[in-house]
Amino acid sequence: MIDRRIMAAKEELYAKVTPRRQRQSRPSTVKHGSTLDVLLSMGFPKTRALKALVSTGGKNVQAACDWLFSHVDDPFLDDPLPREYVLYLRPSGPLLQQLSHFWQQSRISCGKNKAHNIFPHITLCQFFMCADGKVESLSDALQATVAKWKARIPMPVPLELYTTSTFIGLFVEEQVAELMKSFAADFASEVAAKADAHVEPHKKQLHVTLAYHFHASHLPVLEKLAKNVDVGSGCDWLAVLYSRDIRFANHETLQVMYPYVPQNDDELELMPGDFIFMSPVEQSTVSEGWVYGTSLATGLSGLLPENYINRADESDTWVVHGSYSILNCASPSNSSGSVGGLLFDGKLSDSLLDSIMEASSPSGLCPPMQVMRAASQPSLSKMRLFVCRHGERMDVVFGKHWVTQCFDSKGRFIRSNLNMPSSLPARGGGHRDYDKDCPITVFGSTQARLVGEALLESHTAIDFVYCSPSLRCVQTAQNILQGLQQDESTKIRIEPGLFEWTKWVSGTGLPAWLSPAELAAINLSVDTTYRPHIPISKLVVSESYETYIGRSFQVTREILADCKNQGNTVLIVAHASSLEACTRQIRGLTPQNPKDFVQVVRKIPYLGFCACEEMGETGVWQLVDPPILPLTHGPNHSFSWREMLMQD
């Protein structure tokens, strides 16, 4: 299956690469000099050496060697596919700070829109292709153009805010825009002469895009934030040449959060910090919970678990080939590096980005494949919210008739499998109450303790624990506290408002939950004095989706308000739906439609865990990396030695 995909991808890509205009009088130009010579002397074929130099921004021999060794099995390694290049003007200094603040605030308030895929910029030309052996000449062409145009473009560049229902941007005043277009035309001429490549200057109105492809309801907020951008702020503009891998121009860019060792031949090994390119077209035959993608670090393709990756920005994997100030006469920068490297979260930190832009030097950046992603450790002064799904439940493992099979005529529990608990507490309404309020399995308890132990190892203390009234959730919370060694010091607050969408409850009534006093009587660390924000009497059967989402948002917001200034970290242990329902609206986002909501929920595994962090005193929260690794597990079918081994 993978081989067929590779062949199809090759055919499609080759069809896009148009033949270059031939010039008989000009020999091929390779100007990587001693770096290329060293690679050739080491025995690397010239095509591979050039590909490595271009893919790493011509940084140095070590970076190129690392790339070659990591791509030794890349099926495209010897293919003469060119990369795609583009020339942008990038702001620096105070204006960049203004735009970065807009980017951050708009993302917090309204979520990510299409503009967030690429940094602030003015597009000067369309993407174009250039052979690997001529790439260094592109940088020479840019340097020559900038030298010719020094100080000819007035500063600050006059920008005017323009908004529609689907787009917000800053447009360059027409007279200055014409100068910029002339600059781009001169660059195109230099490229044609020096690198024998065709560049198409941007003919449309020049602008900095602030937002597009956003929800219509977000327009007022985005427009208000855009009006706060001081377009007259001091700024130098950098002419920066970028490249990207042509194979993945229409792919979604993802970043690996956790390491993964393949269990089957068609799976992809994952390294934290690496980037994965995923085409939606390739997902049609992939099983739920998995995606098919290609690694930036190795060029290999395969299946990978969906919960090991996060969405990244398109430009995170782009490579810099030259960066020059069009304002001052500073010496040109070392034109090497990768936009997506040297980072703490797969992206350039704001302070590092500012220093790079102000110094007009993107040098020193490392290829993403050399980056190990550091765990995001929130500041202890910030308030944090963890939301966790319960552990493995009895009725899913042993079927909905497990109660009938495991209780005798006198109501005594008799386990028939080692994954069943050795005993169960008596219920006021009899053992049939377990039909709607099942316990967790032995493995479910183990899962929860593993999470607690991981939190302990990460030096994470929990200040408050809130829990759905479902027994499986209370047992999970108890085991997490045991793993944390906080089961004696921290009490579980039972909050009916955290129960799952009541539409999913079978029958005509809600479960008959054990009361806090009954839970405490069976040695669960429950706070019997806690008064819930939403009592059981306020829950209704078969509530609407809007009611459930509103309830979850209300109770989460009130829990956080109660705990503010009393502790930093709150843990909610509830249901798969809670990870979405309890975090989405506190992040300033509108609820998803019910169909999309269900698709998210069905992919959340037992002990699925997410973390949110408050953004200062704004009351708005953002998702951050949890302090623990994910817990992955698979099905283990029942084994009968009598049936399996005593066959004739």
Side-chain angles (χ1 to χ4, degrees):
M1 176 178 67
I2 294 177
D3 289 340
R4 288 200 301 271
R5 283 175 171 173
I6 291 173
M7 292 304 297
K10 286 184 178 183
E11 292 176 2
E12 181 181 356
L13 287 167
Y14 289 145
K16 293 180 180 179
V17 181
T18 57
R20 292 278 175 254
R21 179 166 47 91
Q22 298 299 316
R23 295 192 178 188
Q24 301 298 329
S25 59
R26 184 178 294 109
S28 176
T29 304
V30 175
K31 299 178 65 178
H32 290 285
S34 60
T35 305
L36 177 62
D37 294 337
V38 172
L39 293 174
L40 296 178
S41 69
M42 296 171 68
F44 292 112
K46 186 175 181 179
T47 54
R48 291 190 178 189
L50 284 171
K51 189 181 289 286
L53 287 171
V54 172
S55 298
T56 57
K59 186 178 181 183
N60 53 45
V61 172
Q62 184 62 54
C65 284
D66 289 342
W67 188 93
L68 285 164
F69 289 135
S70 66
H71 282 258
V72 66
D73 295 320
D74 184 345
F76 282 86
L77 183 59
D78 294 313
D79 290 358
L81 284 174
R83 290 175 68 86
E84 284 192 318
Y85 296 82
V86 70
L87 180 63
Y88 286 160
L89 281 182
R90 292 202 58 177
S92 65
L95 180 58
L96 174 62
Q97 295 173 3
Q98 292 269 334
L99 294 173
S100 297
H101 181 71
F102 170 85
W103 243 249
Q104 181 185 39
Q105 292 302 311
S106 64
R107 202 163 189 167
I108 292 171
S109 302
C110 305
K112 183 177 178 180
N113 63 66
K114 276 284 189 179
H116 287 113
N117 284 334
I118 304 177
F119 40 75
H121 68 278
I122 295 174
T123 302
L124 292 183
C125 70
Q126 306 300 318
F127 275 95
F128 63 94
M129 290 178 288
C130 180
D132 290 346
K134 306 244 183 172
V135 169
E136 195 159 329
S137 297
L138 291 180
S139 183
D140 291 346
L142 179 56
Q143 185 177 355
T145 307
V146 170
K148 177 181 176 181
W149 277 83
K150 280 293 184 185
R152 289 175 57 184
I153 298 177
M155 297 291 167
V157 171
L159 300 170
E160 183 178 355
L161 179 64
Y162 176 79
T163 65
T164 70
S165 59
T166 58
F167 174 88
I168 301 176
L170 299 172
F171 279 76
V172 181
E173 187 271 330
E174 185 175 356
Q175 188 174 358
V176 176
E178 289 304 314
L179 288 174
M180 290 182 173
K181 290 179 181 179
S182 296
F183 172 89
D186 281 357
F187 170 70
S189 298
E190 290 285 347
V191 169
K194 288 181 167 63
D196 195 18
H198 176 68
V199 175
E200 186 69 33
H202 196 64
K203 291 184 172 60
K204 296 181 180 179
Q205 289 179 289
L206 300 187
H207 62 275
V208 178
T209 300
L210 297 183
Y212 73 106
H213 280 202
F214 50 82
H215 194 279
S217 63
H218 295 157
L219 178 60
V221 175
L222 292 172
E223 191 171 17
K224 181 179 179 181
L225 290 171
K227 288 178 179 178
N228 290 331
V229 176
D230 182 5
V231 296
S233 300
C235 176
D236 185 11
W237 290 84
L238 307 177
V240 190
L241 185 65
Y242 295 98
S243 76
R244 67 183 183 184
D245 194 320
I246 189 175
R247 293 178 292 167
F248 310 117
N250 296 314
H251 287 51
E252 184 175 355
T253 305
L254 310 166
Q255 189 173 26
V256 178
M257 298 185 294
Y258 312 108
Y260 177 74
V261 178
Q263 307 297 311
N264 298 289
D265 292 340
D266 59 352
E267 295 175 4
L268 187 63
E269 182 177 3
L270 300 183
M271 298 176 291
D274 186 15
F275 290 91
I276 302 295
F277 300 108
M278 182 194 76
S279 169
V281 177
E282 295 175 329
Q283 309 311 309
S284 58
T285 59
V286 176
S287 302
E288 179 184 335
W290 292 77
V291 298
Y292 183 87
T294 302
S295 162
L296 172 68
T298 65
L300 299 177
S301 302
L303 299 169
L304 57 140
E306 189 174 16
N307 57 349
Y308 278 54
I309 50 179
N310 261 345
R311 289 184 179 177
D313 295 337
E314 177 185 344
S315 57
D316 284 347
T317 61
W318 291 3
V319 174
V320 179
H321 296 274
S323 177
Y324 305 93
S325 166
I326 64 172
L327 175 62
N328 56 52
C329 297
S331 59
S333 68
N334 178 350
S335 58
S336 62
S338 165
V339 178
L342 190 69
L343 307 203
F344 306 101
D345 201 29
K347 301 176 186 174
L348 295 172
S349 65
D350 289 340
S351 60
L352 177 59
L353 185 58
D354 289 345
S355 65
I356 289 171
M357 293 296 102
E358 290 171 1
S360 182
S361 174
S363 60
L365 305 183
C366 306
M369 57 206 167
Q370 295 176 304
V371 179
M372 292 302 291
R373 186 174 190 267
S376 174
Q377 295 295 337
S379 167
L380 292 178
S381 63
K382 292 184 177 181
M383 196 170 183
R384 292 182 295 175
L385 170 67
F386 299 148
V387 185
C388 182
R389 186 190 178 190
H390 57 75
E392 181 181 81
R393 49 191 289 176
M394 285 276 286
D395 55 352
V396 170
V397 177
F398 299 107
K400 62 181 181 179
H401 299 298
W402 73 272
V403 175
T404 302
Q405 297 165 358
C406 293
F407 285 88
D408 63 17
S409 58
K410 296 182 179 180
R412 293 174 299 192
F413 173 70
I414 304 171
R415 72 172 180 175
S416 59
N417 190 285
L418 289 176
N419 197 25
M420 294 180 175
S422 57
S423 63
L424 288 176
R427 308 289 292 250
H431 63 271
R432 300 305 309 190
D433 283 352
Y434 282 114
D435 282 329
K436 289 187 176 182
D437 187 31
C438 71
I440 58 176
T441 63
V442 173
F443 184 54
S445 299
T446 303
Q447 291 172 319
R449 282 195 296 274
L450 284 172
V451 167
E453 290 168 0
L455 289 169
L456 181 64
E457 291 173 1
S458 69
H459 306 291
T460 301
I462 302 297
D463 298 307
F464 299 98
V465 179
Y466 290 81
C467 190
S468 161
S470 295
L471 179 59
R472 58 189 181 274
C473 298
V474 184
Q475 291 176 321
T476 299
Q478 178 74 21
N479 279 280
I480 290 176
L481 289 174
Q482 287 179 358
L484 259 170
Q485 299 179 12
Q486 288 186 218
D487 51 311
E488 295 184 2
S489 60
T490 305
K491 297 293 185 180
I492 302 168
R493 296 176 173 181
I494 306 300
E495 178 53 67
L498 293 172
F499 184 59
E500 66 184 345
W501 189 4
T502 61
K503 180 181 177 180
W504 290 337
V505 177
S506 60
T508 57
L510 296 173
W513 293 297
L514 292 166
S515 68
E518 291 173 317
L519 292 168
I522 57 175
N523 298 318
L524 293 173
S525 182
V526 170
D527 184 354
T528 57
T529 66
Y530 174 70
R531 298 186 63 180
H533 293 279
I534 299 179
I536 295 175
S537 60
K538 296 294 185 180
L539 298 180
V540 296
V541 180
S542 298
E543 66 189 338
S544 67
Y545 172 68
E546 291 73 19
T547 300
Y548 167 64
I549 290 297
R551 162 167 65 86
S552 299
F553 177 43
Q554 174 192 339
V555 73
T556 304
R557 185 173 50 187
E558 291 177 0
I559 285 172
L560 294 174
D562 280 356
C563 298
K564 195 171 184 65
N565 301 322
Q566 299 185 47
N568 290 330
T569 307
V570 177
L571 170 65
I572 288 177
V573 181
H575 307 271
S577 56
S578 306
L579 275 73
E580 170 74 7
C582 293
T583 65
R584 186 171 181 85
Q585 287 177 274
I586 66 169
R587 291 184 284 134
L589 305 179
T590 55
Q592 298 194 76
N593 62 60
K595 183 178 179 181
D596 291 339
F597 172 77
V598 171
Q599 290 301 313
V600 170
V601 171
R602 63 196 292 261
K603 295 180 181 180
I604 297 174
Y606 295 125
L607 270 301
F609 193 101
C610 71
C612 279
E613 186 176 279
E614 188 178 23
M615 298 292 294
E617 297 297 324
T618 63
V620 177
W621 294 64
Q622 67 172 353
L623 287 173
V624 296
D625 288 334
I628 61 174
L629 296 172
L631 174 65
T632 303
H633 50 87
N636 185 39
H637 301 291
S638 178
F639 171 70
S640 171
W641 65 269
R642 192 180 301 276
E643 293 179 8
M644 296 289 186
L645 304 180
M646 291 190 66
Q647 298 180 12
D648 294 335

